[in-house]
Coordinates of all heavy atoms in Angstrom, one line a residue:
M923 N 7.1 19.0 -0.6 CA 6.7 18.2 0.5 C 8.0 17.6 1.2 O 8.8 17.0 0.5 CB 5.7 17.1 0.1 CG 5.3 16.2 1.2 SD 4.3 14.8 0.7 CE 2.9 15.6 0.0
S924 N 8.1 17.7 2.4 CA 9.3 17.1 3.1 C 9.1 15.6 3.2 O 8.0 15.1 3.1 CB 9.4 17.8 4.5 OG 8.4 17.3 5.4
E925 N 10.2 15.0 3.5 CA 10.2 13.5 3.6 C 9.3 13.0 4.8 O 8.6 12.1 4.7 CB 11.6 13.0 3.8 CG 11.7 11.5 3.7 CD 13.2 11.0 3.7 OE1 14.0 11.7 3.0 OE2 13.4 10.0 4.3
I926 N 9.4 13.8 5.9 CA 8.6 13.4 7.1 C 7.1 13.5 6.8 O 6.3 12.6 7.2 CB 9.1 14.2 8.3 CG1 10.5 13.9 8.7 CG2 8.1 14.0 9.5 CD1 11.1 14.7 9.8
S927 N 6.7 14.6 6.2 CA 5.3 14.7 5.9 C 4.8 13.7 4.9 O 3.6 13.2 5.0 CB 5.0 16.1 5.4 OG 5.7 16.4 4.2
F928 N 5.6 13.3 4.0 CA 5.3 12.2 3.1 C 5.0 10.9 3.8 O 4.0 10.2 3.6 CB 6.4 11.9 2.0 CG 6.1 10.6 1.2 CD1 5.3 10.6 0.2 CD2 6.8 9.5 1.6 CE1 5.0 9.4 -0.5 CE2 6.6 8.3 0.9 CZ 5.7 8.3 -0.2
W929 N 5.9 10.5 4.8 CA 5.7 9.3 5.5 C 4.5 9.4 6.5 O 3.8 8.4 6.7 CB 6.9 9.0 6.3 CG 8.0 8.5 5.4 CD1 9.2 9.1 5.1 CD2 8.0 7.3 4.6 NE1 9.9 8.4 4.2 CE2 9.2 7.3 3.8 CE3 7.1 6.3 4.4 CZ2 9.5 6.3 3.0 CZ3 7.4 5.2 3.5 CH2 8.6 5.2 2.8
I930 N 4.2 10.6 7.0 CA 3.0 10.8 7.9 C 1.8 10.5 7.0 O 0.9 9.8 7.5 CB 3.0 12.2 8.5 CG1 4.1 12.2 9.6 CG2 1.7 12.5 9.1 CD1 4.4 13.6 10.1
I931 N 1.7 11.1 5.9 CA 0.5 10.9 5.0 C 0.4 9.5 4.6 O -0.7 8.9 4.6 CB 0.6 11.9 3.8 CG1 0.4 13.3 4.2 CG2 -0.4 11.5 2.7 CD1 0.8 14.4 3.2
Y932 N 1.5 8.9 4.2 CA 1.5 7.5 3.8 C 0.9 6.5 4.9 O 0.1 5.7 4.6 CB 3.0 7.1 3.5 CG 3.2 5.6 3.2 CD1 2.8 5.0 2.0 CD2 3.8 4.8 4.2 CE1 3.0 3.6 1.8 CE2 4.0 3.4 4.0 CZ 3.6 2.9 2.8 OH 3.9 1.5 2.5
Y933 N 1.4 6.7 6.1 CA 1.0 5.8 7.2 C -0.4 6.1 7.6 O -1.2 5.2 8.0 CB 1.9 5.8 8.4 CG 3.2 5.0 8.1 CD1 4.4 5.6 7.9 CD2 3.1 3.6 7.8 CE1 5.5 4.8 7.6 CE2 4.2 2.8 7.5 CZ 5.4 3.5 7.4 OH 6.5 2.7 7.1
L934 N -0.8 7.4 7.6 CA -2.2 7.8 7.9 C -3.2 7.2 6.9 O -4.3 6.7 7.2 CB -2.4 9.3 7.9 CG -1.9 10.0 9.2 CD1 -2.0 11.5 9.1 CD2 -2.7 9.5 10.4
L935 N -2.8 7.2 5.6 CA -3.6 6.6 4.6 C -3.7 5.1 4.7 O -4.8 4.5 4.7 CB -3.1 6.9 3.2 CG -3.9 6.4 2.0 CD1 -5.3 7.0 2.0 CD2 -3.2 6.7 0.7
L936 N -2.6 4.4 5.0 CA -2.7 3.0 5.3 C -3.5 2.7 6.5 O -4.3 1.7 6.5 CB -1.3 2.4 5.5 CG -0.4 2.2 4.3 CD1 0.9 1.6 4.7 CD2 -1.1 1.3 3.3
M937 N -3.4 3.5 7.6 CA -4.2 3.2 8.8 C -5.7 3.5 8.5 O -6.5 2.7 8.9 CB -3.7 4.2 9.9 CG -4.2 3.7 11.3 SD -3.6 4.8 12.6 CE -2.1 5.4 12.1
T938 N -6.0 4.5 7.7 CA -7.4 4.7 7.3 C -8.0 3.6 6.5 O -9.1 3.2 6.8 CB -7.5 6.1 6.5 OG1 -6.9 7.1 7.3 CG2 -8.9 6.4 6.2
I939 N -7.2 3.1 5.6 CA -7.7 2.0 4.8 C -7.9 0.7 5.6 O -8.9 0.0 5.5 CB -6.7 1.7 3.6 CG1 -6.8 2.9 2.6 CG2 -7.1 0.4 2.8 CD1 -5.7 2.8 1.5
F940 N -7.0 0.5 6.5 CA -7.1 -0.6 7.4 C -8.3 -0.6 8.3 O -9.1 -1.5 8.4 CB -5.8 -0.7 8.3 CG -5.8 -1.9 9.2 CD1 -5.5 -3.2 8.7 CD2 -6.0 -1.8 10.6 CE1 -5.5 -4.3 9.6 CE2 -6.0 -2.8 11.4 CZ -5.7 -4.1 10.9
V941 N -8.6 0.6 8.9 CA -9.8 0.8 9.7 C -11.0 0.6 8.9 O -12.0 0.0 9.3 CB -9.7 2.2 10.4 CG1 -11.1 2.5 11.1 CG2 -8.6 2.2 11.5
R942 N -11.0 1.1 7.7 CA -12.2 1.0 6.8 C -12.4 -0.5 6.4 O -13.5 -0.9 6.4 CB -11.9 1.8 5.5 CG -13.0 1.8 4.5 CD -14.1 2.8 4.9 NE -15.1 2.8 3.9 CZ -16.3 3.3 4.1 NH1 -16.6 3.8 5.3 NH2 -17.2 3.2 3.2
A943 N -11.3 -1.2 6.2 CA -11.5 -2.6 5.9 C -12.0 -3.4 7.1 O -12.9 -4.3 6.9 CB -10.1 -3.2 5.4
I944 N -11.5 -3.1 8.2 CA -12.0 -3.8 9.4 C -13.5 -3.5 9.6 O -14.3 -4.4 9.9 CB -11.2 -3.4 10.7 CG1 -9.8 -3.8 10.6 CG2 -11.9 -3.9 12.0 CD1 -9.6 -5.3 10.7
Y945 N -13.9 -2.2 9.4 CA -15.3 -1.8 9.5 C -16.1 -2.6 8.5 O -17.2 -3.1 8.9 CB -15.4 -0.3 9.3 CG -16.8 0.2 9.3 CD1 -17.5 0.4 10.5 CD2 -17.4 0.5 8.1 CE1 -18.8 0.9 10.4 CE2 -18.7 0.9 8.0 CZ -19.4 1.1 9.2 OH -20.7 1.6 9.2
R946 N -15.6 -2.8 7.3 CA -16.4 -3.5 6.3 C -16.6 -5.0 6.6 O -17.6 -5.6 6.4 CB -15.7 -3.4 4.9 CG -15.8 -2.0 4.3 CD -17.2 -1.7 4.0 NE -17.2 -0.9 2.8 CZ -18.3 -0.5 2.2 NH1 -19.5 -0.9 2.7 NH2 -18.3 0.2 1.1
V947 N -15.6 -5.6 7.3 CA -15.7 -7.0 7.7 C -16.7 -7.1 8.8 O -17.5 -8.0 8.8 CB -14.3 -7.5 8.1 CG1 -14.4 -8.9 8.8 CG2 -13.4 -7.6 6.9
I948 N -16.6 -6.2 9.8 CA -17.6 -6.2 10.9 C -19.0 -6.1 10.4 O -19.9 -6.7 10.9 CB -17.2 -5.2 12.0 CG1 -15.9 -5.6 12.6 CG2 -18.3 -5.0 13.0 CD1 -15.3 -4.5 13.5
K949 N -19.2 -5.1 9.5 CA -20.6 -4.9 8.9 C -21.0 -5.9 7.9 O -22.1 -5.8 7.3 CB -20.6 -3.5 8.3 CG -20.5 -2.4 9.4 CD -21.7 -2.4 10.3 CE -21.7 -1.3 11.3 NZ -22.8 -1.2 12.2
K950 N -20.1 -6.8 7.6 CA -20.3 -7.9 6.6 C -20.7 -7.3 5.2 O -21.6 -7.8 4.5 CB -21.4 -8.8 7.1 CG -21.0 -9.6 8.3 CD -22.1 -10.6 8.7 CE -21.7 -11.5 9.8 NZ -21.1 -11.3 10.9
R951 N -19.9 -6.3 4.8 CA -20.1 -5.8 3.4 C -18.7 -5.9 2.7 O -17.7 -5.5 3.2 CB -20.4 -4.3 3.5 CG -21.8 -4.1 4.0 CD -22.2 -2.6 3.8 NE -22.8 -2.2 5.0 CZ -22.7 -0.9 5.5 NH1 -22.0 0.0 4.9 NH2 -23.3 -0.6 6.6
Q952 N -18.8 -6.5 1.5 CA -17.6 -6.7 0.7 C -16.5 -7.4 1.6 O -15.3 -7.0 1.6 CB -17.0 -5.4 0.2 CG -17.9 -4.6 -0.8 CD -17.3 -3.3 -1.2 OE1 -16.6 -2.7 -0.4 NE2 -17.6 -2.9 -2.4
V953 N -16.9 -8.4 2.2 CA -15.9 -9.1 3.2 C -14.7 -9.6 2.4 O -13.6 -9.4 2.9 CB -16.6 -10.2 3.9 CG1 -15.7 -11.0 4.8 CG2 -17.8 -9.7 4.8
A954 N -14.9 -10.3 1.3 CA -13.7 -10.9 0.6 C -12.7 -9.8 0.2 O -11.5 -9.9 0.3 CB -14.2 -11.7 -0.6
M955 N -13.3 -8.7 -0.4 CA -12.4 -7.6 -0.9 C -11.8 -6.9 0.3 O -10.6 -6.5 0.2 CB -13.2 -6.6 -1.7 CG -13.7 -7.3 -3.0 SD -14.8 -6.2 -4.0 CE -13.6 -4.9 -4.5
A956 N -12.5 -6.8 1.4 CA -11.9 -6.1 2.6 C -10.8 -7.0 3.2 O -9.8 -6.5 3.6 CB -13.0 -5.9 3.6
M957 N -11.0 -8.3 3.2 CA -9.9 -9.2 3.7 C -8.7 -9.1 2.8 O -7.5 -9.2 3.3 CB -10.4 -10.6 3.8 CG -11.5 -10.8 4.8 SD -11.0 -10.4 6.5 CE -9.9 -11.8 6.8
I958 N -8.9 -9.1 1.5 CA -7.7 -8.9 0.6 C -7.0 -7.6 0.9 O -5.8 -7.5 1.0 CB -8.2 -8.9 -0.9 CG1 -8.7 -10.3 -1.2 CG2 -7.0 -8.5 -1.8 CD1 -9.3 -10.4 -2.6
A959 N -7.8 -6.5 1.2 CA -7.2 -5.2 1.5 C -6.3 -5.3 2.8 O -5.2 -4.8 2.9 CB -8.2 -4.2 1.6
I960 N -6.9 -6.0 3.8 CA -6.1 -6.2 5.1 C -4.8 -7.0 4.8 O -3.8 -6.6 5.4 CB -7.0 -6.9 6.1 CG1 -8.2 -6.0 6.5 CG2 -6.2 -7.3 7.3 CD1 -9.3 -6.7 7.3
L961 N -4.9 -8.0 4.1 CA -3.7 -8.8 3.8 C -2.6 -7.9 3.0 O -1.4 -8.0 3.3 CB -4.0 -10.0 3.0 CG -4.7 -11.2 3.7 CD1 -5.2 -12.2 2.7 CD2 -3.7 -11.7 4.8
L962 N -3.1 -7.1 2.1 CA -2.2 -6.3 1.3 C -1.6 -5.2 2.2 O -0.5 -4.8 2.0 CB -2.9 -5.7 0.1 CG -3.2 -6.7 -1.0 CD1 -4.0 -6.0 -2.1 CD2 -1.9 -7.3 -1.6
I963 N -2.4 -4.6 3.1 CA -1.9 -3.6 4.0 C -0.7 -4.1 4.8 O 0.2 -3.4 5.1 CB -3.0 -3.0 4.9 CG1 -4.0 -2.2 4.0 CG2 -2.5 -2.2 6.0 CD1 -5.2 -1.8 4.7
I964 N -0.8 -5.4 5.2 CA 0.3 -5.9 6.0 C 1.4 -6.4 5.1 O 2.6 -6.1 5.4 CB -0.3 -7.1 6.8 CG1 -1.3 -6.6 7.8 CG2 0.8 -7.9 7.4 CD1 -2.1 -7.7 8.4
S965 N 1.2 -7.0 4.0 CA 2.2 -7.6 3.2 C 3.0 -6.7 2.2 O 4.2 -6.8 2.1 CB 1.7 -8.8 2.4 OG 0.7 -8.4 1.4
V966 N 2.3 -5.7 1.6 CA 2.9 -4.9 0.6 C 4.0 -4.0 1.3 O 5.1 -4.0 0.7 CB 1.9 -4.0 -0.1 CG1 2.5 -2.9 -1.0 CG2 1.1 -4.9 -1.0
P967 N 3.8 -3.3 2.4 CA 4.9 -2.5 2.9 C 6.1 -3.4 3.4 O 7.2 -3.0 3.3 CB 4.2 -1.8 4.1 CG 2.8 -1.7 3.8 CD 2.5 -3.0 3.0
M968 N 5.8 -4.6 3.9 CA 6.8 -5.5 4.3 C 7.7 -5.9 3.2 O 8.9 -5.9 3.3 CB 6.2 -6.7 5.1 CG 5.7 -6.3 6.5 SD 5.0 -7.6 7.3 CE 6.3 -8.7 7.6
V969 N 7.0 -6.4 2.1 CA 7.8 -6.8 0.9 C 8.6 -5.7 0.3 O 9.8 -5.8 0.0 CB 6.8 -7.4 -0.2 CG1 7.5 -7.5 -1.5 CG2 6.2 -8.7 0.3
S970 N 8.0 -4.5 0.3 CA 8.7 -3.3 -0.2 C 9.9 -3.0 0.6 O 11.0 -2.7 0.1 CB 7.7 -2.1 -0.3 OG 8.4 -1.0 -0.8
L971 N 9.7 -3.0 1.9 CA 10.8 -2.7 2.8 C 12.0 -3.7 2.7 O 13.1 -3.3 2.6 CB 10.3 -2.6 4.3 CG 11.4 -2.4 5.4 CD1 12.0 -1.0 5.2 CD2 10.8 -2.6 6.7
M972 N 11.6 -5.0 2.7 CA 12.6 -6.0 2.7 C 13.4 -6.0 1.4 O 14.6 -6.2 1.4 CB 12.0 -7.4 2.8 CG 11.3 -7.6 4.2 SD 12.4 -7.5 5.6 CE 13.4 -8.9 5.3
N973 N 12.8 -5.6 0.3 CA 13.5 -5.6 -1.0 C 14.2 -4.2 -1.2 O 15.1 -4.1 -2.1 CB 12.6 -5.9 -2.1 CG 12.2 -7.3 -2.2 OD1 13.1 -8.2 -2.5 ND2 11.0 -7.7 -1.8
S974 N 13.9 -3.2 -0.5 CA 14.5 -1.9 -0.6 C 15.7 -1.7 0.3 O 16.5 -0.7 0.2 CB 13.5 -0.8 -0.3 OG 12.5 -0.7 -1.3
I975 N 16.0 -2.7 1.2 CA 17.1 -2.6 2.1 C 18.4 -2.5 1.3 O 19.3 -1.7 1.7 CB 17.1 -3.7 3.1 CG1 15.9 -3.5 4.1 CG2 18.4 -3.8 3.8 CD1 15.7 -4.6 5.1
G976 N 18.6 -3.2 0.3 CA 19.8 -3.3 -0.4 C 19.9 -2.3 -1.6 O 20.8 -2.4 -2.4
R977 N 19.1 -1.3 -1.6 CA 19.1 -0.3 -2.7 C 20.4 0.5 -2.6 O 20.9 0.7 -1.6 CB 17.9 0.5 -2.8 CG 17.8 1.6 -1.7 CD 16.5 2.3 -1.8 NE 16.2 3.4 -1.0 CZ 16.7 3.8 0.2 NH1 17.5 3.0 0.8 NH2 16.3 4.9 0.8
P978 N 20.8 1.1 -3.8 CA 21.9 2.0 -3.8 C 21.6 3.3 -3.0 O 20.5 3.7 -2.9 CB 22.1 2.4 -5.3 CG 21.5 1.3 -6.0 CD 20.4 0.8 -5.1
L979 N 22.6 3.8 -2.3 CA 22.4 5.0 -1.4 C 21.9 6.2 -2.2 O 21.2 7.1 -1.6 CB 23.7 5.3 -0.6 CG 24.1 4.2 0.4 CD1 25.4 4.6 1.0 CD2 23.0 4.1 1.4
E980 N 22.3 6.4 -3.4 CA 21.9 7.6 -4.2 C 20.5 7.5 -4.6 O 20.0 8.5 -5.2 CB 22.9 7.8 -5.3 CG 22.8 6.7 -6.4 CD 23.8 5.6 -6.1 OE1 24.5 5.6 -5.2 OE2 23.7 4.6 -7.0
M981 N 19.8 6.4 -4.5 CA 18.4 6.3 -4.9 C 17.5 6.3 -3.7 O 17.8 5.7 -2.7 CB 18.2 5.0 -5.7 CG 18.9 4.9 -6.9 SD 18.6 3.3 -7.7 CE 17.4 3.8 -8.9
N982 N 16.3 7.0 -3.8 CA 15.3 6.9 -2.8 C 14.4 5.6 -3.1 O 14.6 5.0 -4.1 CB 14.5 8.1 -2.6 CG 13.6 8.5 -3.9 OD1 13.2 7.6 -4.6 ND2 13.4 9.7 -4.1
E983 N 13.5 5.4 -2.2 CA 12.7 4.2 -2.3 C 11.8 4.1 -3.6 O 11.7 3.1 -4.2 CB 11.7 4.0 -1.1 CG 12.4 3.7 0.2 CD 12.9 4.9 1.0 OE1 12.8 6.0 0.4 OE2 13.3 4.8 2.1
F984 N 11.3 5.3 -4.0 CA 10.4 5.3 -5.1 C 11.2 5.1 -6.4 O 10.8 4.4 -7.3 CB 9.7 6.7 -5.2 CG 8.8 6.8 -6.4 CD1 7.6 6.1 -6.5 CD2 9.1 7.5 -7.5 CE1 6.8 6.1 -7.6 CE2 8.3 7.6 -8.6 CZ 7.1 6.9 -8.6
Q985 N 12.4 5.7 -6.5 CA 13.2 5.6 -7.7 C 13.7 4.1 -7.8 O 13.7 3.6 -8.9 CB 14.5 6.4 -7.6 CG 14.2 7.9 -7.7 CD 15.4 8.7 -7.3 OE1 16.3 8.3 -6.5 NE2 15.5 9.9 -7.9
F986 N 14.0 3.5 -6.7 CA 14.4 2.1 -6.7 C 13.2 1.2 -7.1 O 13.4 0.3 -7.9 CB 14.9 1.7 -5.4 CG 15.5 0.3 -5.3 CD1 16.6 -0.1 -6.1 CD2 14.9 -0.7 -4.6 CE1 17.1 -1.4 -6.1 CE2 15.4 -2.0 -4.5 CZ 16.5 -2.3 -5.3
L987 N 12.0 1.5 -6.6 CA 10.9 0.7 -7.0 C 10.6 0.8 -8.5 O 10.3 -0.2 -9.2 CB 9.6 1.1 -6.2 CG 8.3 0.5 -6.5 CD1 8.3 -1.0 -6.2 CD2 7.2 1.2 -5.8
A988 N 10.7 2.1 -9.0 CA 10.4 2.3 -10.5 C 11.5 1.5 -11.3 O 11.1 0.9 -12.3 CB 10.5 3.8 -10.8
L989 N 12.7 1.6 -10.9 CA 13.8 0.9 -11.6 C 13.5 -0.6 -11.6 O 13.6 -1.3 -12.7 CB 15.2 1.2 -11.0 CG 16.3 0.4 -11.6 CD1 16.6 0.9 -13.1 CD2 17.6 0.6 -10.8
E990 N 13.2 -1.2 -10.5 CA 13.0 -2.6 -10.4 C 11.7 -3.0 -11.1 O 11.7 -4.1 -11.7 CB 12.8 -3.0 -8.9 CG 14.2 -2.9 -8.1 CD 15.1 -4.0 -8.5 OE1 14.8 -5.2 -8.5 OE2 16.3 -3.7 -8.9
F991 N 10.7 -2.2 -11.1 CA 9.5 -2.4 -11.9 C 9.8 -2.5 -13.4 O 9.3 -3.4 -14.1 CB 8.4 -1.4 -11.6 CG 7.1 -1.6 -12.3 CD1 6.3 -2.6 -11.9 CD2 6.8 -0.9 -13.4 CE1 5.1 -2.9 -12.5 CE2 5.6 -1.1 -14.1 CZ 4.7 -2.1 -13.6
K992 N 10.6 -1.6 -13.9 CA 11.0 -1.5 -15.3 C 11.8 -2.8 -15.7 O 11.7 -3.3 -16.8 CB 11.9 -0.3 -15.6 CG 11.1 1.0 -15.6 CD 12.0 2.1 -15.9 CE 11.3 3.4 -15.8 NZ 12.2 4.6 -15.9
Q993 N 12.6 -3.3 -14.7 CA 13.4 -4.5 -15.0 C 12.5 -5.8 -14.8 O 13.0 -6.9 -15.0 CB 14.6 -4.6 -14.0 CG 15.6 -3.5 -14.3 CD 16.7 -3.4 -13.4 OE1 16.7 -4.2 -12.4 NE2 17.7 -2.6 -13.6
G994 N 11.3 -5.7 -14.3 CA 10.4 -6.8 -14.2 C 10.5 -7.6 -12.9 O 10.1 -8.8 -12.9
A995 N 11.0 -7.0 -11.9 CA 11.1 -7.7 -10.6 C 9.7 -8.0 -10.0 O 8.8 -7.1 -10.0 CB 11.9 -6.9 -9.6
L996 N 9.5 -9.3 -9.6 CA 8.2 -9.7 -9.2 C 7.7 -8.9 -7.9 O 6.6 -8.6 -7.8 CB 8.2 -11.2 -8.9 CG 8.2 -12.1 -10.1 CD1 8.2 -13.5 -9.7 CD2 7.0 -11.8 -11.0
W997 N 8.7 -8.6 -7.0 CA 8.3 -7.9 -5.8 C 7.8 -6.5 -6.1 O 6.9 -6.0 -5.5 CB 9.5 -7.8 -4.8 CG 10.6 -6.9 -5.2 CD1 11.7 -7.1 -5.9 CD2 10.6 -5.5 -4.8 NE1 12.5 -6.0 -6.0 CE2 11.8 -5.0 -5.4 CE3 9.8 -4.6 -4.1 CZ2 12.2 -3.6 -5.2 CZ3 10.2 -3.3 -4.0 CH2 11.4 -2.8 -4.6
A998 N 8.4 -5.8 -7.2 CA 8.0 -4.5 -7.6 C 6.6 -4.5 -8.2 O 5.8 -3.7 -8.0 CB 9.0 -3.9 -8.5
I999 N 6.4 -5.5 -9.0 CA 5.1 -5.7 -9.6 C 4.0 -5.9 -8.6 O 2.9 -5.3 -8.6 CB 5.1 -6.8 -10.7 CG1 6.0 -6.5 -11.8 CG2 3.7 -7.2 -11.2 CD1 6.3 -7.6 -12.8
F1000 N 4.3 -6.8 -7.6 CA 3.4 -7.1 -6.5 C 3.1 -5.8 -5.7 O 2.0 -5.5 -5.3 CB 4.0 -8.2 -5.6 CG 3.2 -8.4 -4.3 CD1 2.0 -9.0 -4.3 CD2 3.7 -7.9 -3.1 CE1 1.3 -9.2 -3.2 CE2 3.0 -8.1 -1.9 CZ 1.8 -8.8 -2.0
T1001 N 4.2 -5.0 -5.4 CA 4.0 -3.8 -4.6 C 3.1 -2.8 -5.4 O 2.2 -2.2 -4.8 CB 5.4 -3.2 -4.4 OG1 6.2 -4.2 -3.6 CG2 5.3 -1.9 -3.6
I1002 N 3.4 -2.5 -6.6 CA 2.6 -1.6 -7.4 C 1.2 -2.0 -7.5 O 0.2 -1.3 -7.3 CB 3.3 -1.2 -8.7 CG1 4.6 -0.5 -8.4 CG2 2.3 -0.5 -9.6 CD1 5.4 -0.2 -9.6
A1003 N 1.0 -3.3 -7.8 CA -0.4 -3.9 -8.0 C -1.1 -3.8 -6.6 O -2.3 -3.5 -6.6 CB -0.3 -5.3 -8.5
G1004 N -0.4 -4.1 -5.5 CA -1.0 -4.0 -4.2 C -1.5 -2.6 -3.8 O -2.6 -2.4 -3.3
Y1005 N -0.6 -1.6 -4.1 CA -1.0 -0.2 -3.8 C -2.1 0.2 -4.7 O -3.0 0.9 -4.2 CB 0.2 0.7 -3.9 CG 1.2 0.6 -2.8 CD1 2.6 0.5 -3.0 CD2 0.8 0.7 -1.5 CE1 3.5 0.5 -2.0 CE2 1.6 0.6 -0.4 CZ 3.0 0.5 -0.7 OH 3.9 0.5 0.4
A1006 N -2.1 -0.2 -5.9 CA -3.2 0.2 -6.8 C -4.5 -0.4 -6.3 O -5.6 0.2 -6.3 CB -2.9 -0.3 -8.3
Y1007 N -4.5 -1.7 -5.9 CA -5.7 -2.4 -5.4 C -6.2 -1.6 -4.2 O -7.4 -1.3 -4.0 CB -5.4 -3.8 -5.0 CG -6.6 -4.5 -4.4 CD1 -7.6 -5.1 -5.2 CD2 -6.9 -4.5 -3.0 CE1 -8.7 -5.7 -4.7 CE2 -8.0 -5.1 -2.5 CZ -8.9 -5.7 -3.3 OH -10.0 -6.3 -2.8
L1008 N -5.3 -1.3 -3.3 CA -5.7 -0.6 -2.0 C -6.4 0.8 -2.3 O -7.4 1.1 -1.7 CB -4.5 -0.4 -1.1 CG -4.0 -1.7 -0.4 CD1 -2.7 -1.4 0.3 CD2 -5.0 -2.3 0.5
L1009 N -5.8 1.5 -3.2 CA -6.4 2.8 -3.5 C -7.7 2.7 -4.2 O -8.7 3.4 -3.9 CB -5.4 3.6 -4.4 CG -4.2 4.2 -3.7 CD1 -3.3 4.9 -4.7 CD2 -4.7 5.2 -2.6
V1010 N -7.8 1.8 -5.2 CA -9.1 1.6 -5.9 C -10.2 1.1 -4.9 O -11.3 1.6 -4.9 CB -8.9 0.6 -7.1 CG1 -10.3 0.2 -7.7 CG2 -8.1 1.3 -8.2
W1011 N -9.8 0.1 -4.1 CA -10.8 -0.5 -3.1 C -11.2 0.6 -2.2 O -12.4 0.7 -1.8 CB -10.2 -1.6 -2.4 CG -11.1 -2.2 -1.4 CD1 -12.1 -3.1 -1.6 CD2 -11.2 -1.8 0.0 NE1 -12.8 -3.3 -0.4 CE2 -12.3 -2.5 0.6 CE3 -10.5 -0.9 0.8 CZ2 -12.7 -2.3 1.9 CZ3 -10.9 -0.8 2.1 CH2 -12.0 -1.5 2.7
F1012 N -10.3 1.4 -1.7 CA -10.7 2.5 -0.7 C -11.7 3.5 -1.3 O -12.7 3.8 -0.7 CB -9.4 3.2 -0.3 CG -9.7 4.3 0.7 CD1 -10.2 4.1 2.0 CD2 -9.5 5.6 0.3 CE1 -10.5 5.1 2.9 CE2 -9.8 6.7 1.2 CZ -10.2 6.4 2.5
F1013 N -11.4 3.9 -2.5 CA -12.3 4.9 -3.2 C -13.7 4.3 -3.5 O -14.7 4.9 -3.4 CB -11.7 5.6 -4.4 CG -10.6 6.5 -4.0 CD1 -9.3 6.4 -4.4 CD2 -10.9 7.6 -3.2 CE1 -8.3 7.3 -4.0 CE2 -9.9 8.6 -2.8 CZ -8.6 8.3 -3.3
L1014 N -13.6 3.0 -3.9 CA -14.9 2.3 -4.2 C -15.7 2.1 -2.9 O -16.9 2.1 -2.9 CB -14.7 1.0 -4.9 CG -14.2 1.1 -6.4 CD1 -13.9 -0.3 -7.0 CD2 -15.2 1.9 -7.2
S1015 N -15.0 1.8 -1.8 CA -15.7 1.5 -0.6 C -16.3 2.8 0.0 O -17.3 2.8 0.8 CB -14.7 0.9 0.5 OG -13.8 1.9 1.0
L1016 N -15.8 4.0 -0.4 CA -16.4 5.2 0.1 C -17.7 5.5 -0.6 O -18.6 6.2 -0.1 CB -15.4 6.4 -0.2 CG -14.2 6.4 0.7 CD1 -13.3 7.6 0.3 CD2 -14.5 6.5 2.1
K1017 N -17.9 5.0 -1.9 CA -19.1 5.3 -2.6 C -20.3 4.5 -2.1 O -21.4 4.9 -2.3 CB -18.8 5.0 -4.1 CG -18.0 5.9 -4.8 CD -17.9 5.6 -6.3 CE -17.1 6.7 -7.0 NZ -17.1 6.5 -8.4
K1018 N -20.0 3.4 -1.5 CA -21.1 2.5 -1.1 C -21.5 2.7 0.3 O -20.8 3.0 1.2 CB -20.7 1.0 -1.4 CG -20.5 0.8 -2.9 CD -20.2 -0.6 -3.1 CE -20.0 -0.8 -4.6 NZ -19.8 -2.2 -5.0

């Protein structure tokens, strides 16, 4: 998979989850969980980007995130937990 196709899939998935969360809020279903998803969709990529700016040039974003997670960096824990919540919430929202 090329780098461009990865980013296209990444942003399409985020946009899909965002639209799904807005839909859930409008329909008044799982409002609290949908609002958390909306906040995470906005904050997680921003936190990840801000903390990845100073990464070594020989590492890509995923490698740097994994290294920082292993070292216990709070931003990395927040990022991974945020993405996990978004994926779980998205798949659970499809079932209902």
Side-chain angles (χ1 to χ4, degrees):
M923 177 185 300
S924 72
E925 189 174 321
I926 292 175
S927 61
F928 169 80
W929 289 113
I930 290 171
I931 292 168
Y932 171 78
Y933 284 114
L934 281 174
L935 184 61
L936 282 182
M937 197 178 330
T938 303
I939 294 172
F940 183 73
V941 169
R942 182 82 177 160
I944 295 291
Y945 176 78
R946 290 294 217 176
V947 170
I948 291 171
K949 291 294 184 179
K950 295 184 173 46
R951 289 191 227 145
Q952 297 178 329
V953 175
M955 293 176 69
M957 292 300 289
I958 292 170
I960 292 169
L961 286 172
L962 287 174
I963 288 170
I964 295 168
S965 63
V966 168
M968 288 177 66
V969 167
S970 182
L971 175 68
M972 295 301 291
N973 286 290
S974 293
I975 288 175
R977 76 183 187 328
L979 293 176
E980 63 273 358
M981 298 179 98
N982 65 27
E983 290 88 352
F984 181 74
Q985 292 170 330
F986 185 65
L987 176 64
L989 176 69
E990 290 289 306
F991 183 75
K992 287 178 188 175
Q993 294 175 352
L996 289 177
W997 75 268
I999 294 168
F1000 172 75
T1001 300
I1002 291 174
Y1005 284 133
Y1007 177 89
L1008 289 172
L1009 285 175
V1010 169
W1011 178 84
F1012 178 67
F1013 287 119
L1014 289 176
S1015 74
L1016 291 176
K1017 288 185 175 184
K1018 297 180 180 188

